[in-house]
Amino acid sequence: MQLNVIGEPLEPCCLDPVTGWMRNGFCDMYEDDVGMHHVCVQVSAEFLEFSKENGNDLTTANEHFPGLKPGDKWCLCTARWMQAFNQDMAPKIFIKSTSIEVLNYIPLPILQQMACDV
């Protein structure tokens, strides 16, 4: 069982659309996930545009990806979230669905400041 950033069992992020590196609904840790899709977020229109402008179009669907719309929950790459945070564009996060691994890169007070579930 993997843990979230507050040391509790990791809760699912989203099952519709199904998110996570393994498309299991969880922002859990896998060694082969070099993008570290560990931060559970609720995307906004502003963030989706920011991500697209920075080379990661999260709105266009393909055979392996449903495309996101504002309000969707998604497991986001840790580095992309930090980039967005540093530019005041970060989406809100779900603490209980964000992997404890994120604490290696983002301090807990920042995560708590941006949380929408605690």
Side-chain angles (χ1 to χ4, degrees), residues 21-34:
W21 177 248
M22 299 300 288
R23 293 297 190 262
N24 62 0
F26 287 84
C27 301
D28 41 6
M29 200 260 324
Y30 293 91
E31 288 185 28
D32 58 342
D33 177 12
V34 295

